[in-house]
Amino acid sequence: GEEMLIPTPCFVSYQAEAILAGGAAVEIPSTMEKNFELDPRALEAAITPQSKAILLGFPNNPTGAVASRETLLEVARIAEEHDLVVVSDEIYDRLVYGGHKHVCFPSLPGAKQRTLLLGGFSKDYAMTGWRIGYACGPAEIIKGLVRAHQYTVMSAPTTAQAAAIAALKEGEPYVEQMVAEYDRRRRLIVSGLNEIGLPTFEPKGAFYAFPKVSVTGLDDETFATRLLDEEHVAIVPGNAFGAGGEGFCRCSYATSYAKLETALEKIRRYVNRL
Ligand SMILES: Cc1ncc(COP(=O)(O)O)c(C=O)c1O
């Protein structure tokens, strides 16, 4: 079938969505040594006559990587040269820290006509569970999307639509407060995990830290399962996020500062016991 090129580690649904649509997922792994950045040369090298689309997910779940303008310009060039559609999931677009900038992919020259932009209210407005998001793109892609959407999802809940309008009209000061608070938690968790001895890349966006747990001698699944059983701290094994995720675990900092302090204490105790 047709192939979707997917930089990984990435949100768990991407590969499954490609398969569900009758296609195949081709993973382009990134590494901590290279700041989990997408390598455009690796992307281009993976293109075959079956390639149909590229799925970008930046700011990234689970690594917190943010794609630079230069990288995205290269992706735009590759997409144009090989006539590929780009699906850009920018649901964490407002959650970037430390002076890093999020670049909206369809805002790049020539990119708009081949891009399907995905967004939602779950992250920027802390409305997870409200089930409201959006897609913007060329009319013929949206037409195909609506055909499937109408008979599966039907519509976003009316209550969530009203809440989303209120968020857009009045939410801005709260988003700014939230970003400042996430940044504080980000610094706590990254320095905490590194001090414990779990090498952790400094995330530039989203709300996850991605420590390398394989340095303890345990694989990511064993590390996460035992941490849950022994200390009741829930983190996600990195192998769930595709190639390049193995040996890491995803720690969400979308919880209170105090809970993160407690979790770090528990992780320290656990690692010291290993
Ligand atoms: C990268 C990414 N895209 C999309 C979603 C879906 O969010 P929702 O279903 O809440 O709109 C998530 C949620 O975790 C995500 O991390």
Side-chain angles (χ1 to χ4, degrees):
E2 291 174 334
E3 292 170 353
M4 171 103 95
L5 301 156
I6 309 177
T8 59
C10 69
F11 181 44
V12 291
S13 296
Y14 297 165
Q15 292 92 329
E17 299 287 359
I19 294 163
L20 198 64
V26 176
E27 302 187 42
I28 321 288
S30 62
T31 62
M32 185 168 90
E33 290 67 34
K34 296 201 171 152
N35 299 329
F36 291 111
E37 270 168 27
L38 162 63
D39 176 0
R41 278 168 308 174
L43 179 75
E44 194 159 25
I47 293 174
T48 72
Q50 281 73 47
S51 302
K52 186 75 184 168
I54 303 168
L55 207 172
L56 299 176
F58 297 100
N60 183 267
N61 172 7
T63 66
V66 168
S68 69
R69 190 178 184 85
E70 298 74 66
T71 299
L72 294 176
L73 280 168
E74 266 301 282
V75 175
R77 180 201 54 84
I78 293 167
E80 191 170 345
E81 253 176 60
H82 299 271
D83 193 23
L84 303 172
V85 168
V86 176
V87 181
S88 190
D89 178 358
E90 302 184 17
I91 196 162
Y92 296 95
D93 57 354
R94 302 294 310 280
L95 307 184
V96 283
Y97 315 105
H100 293 290
K101 291 262 175 304
H102 167 69
V103 176
C104 177
F105 188 79
S107 74
L108 297 173
K112 197 167 150 187
Q113 64 263 27
R114 60 176 66 254
T115 305
L116 182 68
L117 172 69
L118 305 180
F121 287 76
S122 296
K123 321 295 177 185
D124 296 350
Y125 297 100
M127 285 168 59
T128 301
W130 288 71
R131 309 280 94 229
I132 184 154
Y134 52 84
C136 321
E140 71 274 22
I141 297 182
I142 297 291
K143 219 165 121 188
L145 209 77
V146 167
R147 201 176 299 146
H149 189 270
Q150 245 169 7
Y151 300 103
T152 49
V153 177
M154 192 91 79
S155 77
T158 320
T159 42
Q161 292 184 40
I165 292 168
L168 288 174
K169 283 188 173 159
E170 291 157 43
E172 192 52 32
Y174 303 100
V175 174
E176 282 168 24
Q177 272 174 32
M178 219 166 61
V179 170
E181 174 58 18
Y182 279 142
D183 190 19
R184 202 166 79 92
R185 296 179 198 170
R186 174 184 75 119
R187 283 180 275 123
L188 169 74
I189 195 157
V190 171
S191 60
L193 290 167
N194 276 309
E195 272 166 32
I196 290 168
L198 301 174
T200 305
F201 154 80
E202 188 181 323
K204 299 172 182 161
F207 41 57
Y208 309 104
F210 204 51
K212 185 172 189 166
V213 299
S214 58
V215 294
T216 61
L218 297 185
D219 64 66
D220 47 344
E221 245 178 278
T222 310
F223 185 93
T225 309
R226 280 187 52 187
L227 179 63
L228 182 62
D229 287 345
E230 296 175 25
E231 295 287 350
H232 305 144
V233 176
I235 60 176
V236 183
N239 70 9
F241 304 97
E246 205 157 306
F248 295 82
C249 279
R250 190 194 72 175
C251 307
S252 167
Y253 52 88
T255 187
S256 72
Y257 198 87
K259 277 191 180 160
L260 292 173
E261 285 179 318
T262 308
L264 283 168
E265 263 323 295
K266 289 174 166 229
I267 296 172
R268 181 188 301 279
R269 193 161 66 202
Y270 167 72
V271 168
N272 285 346
R273 264 202 316 274
L274 292 174

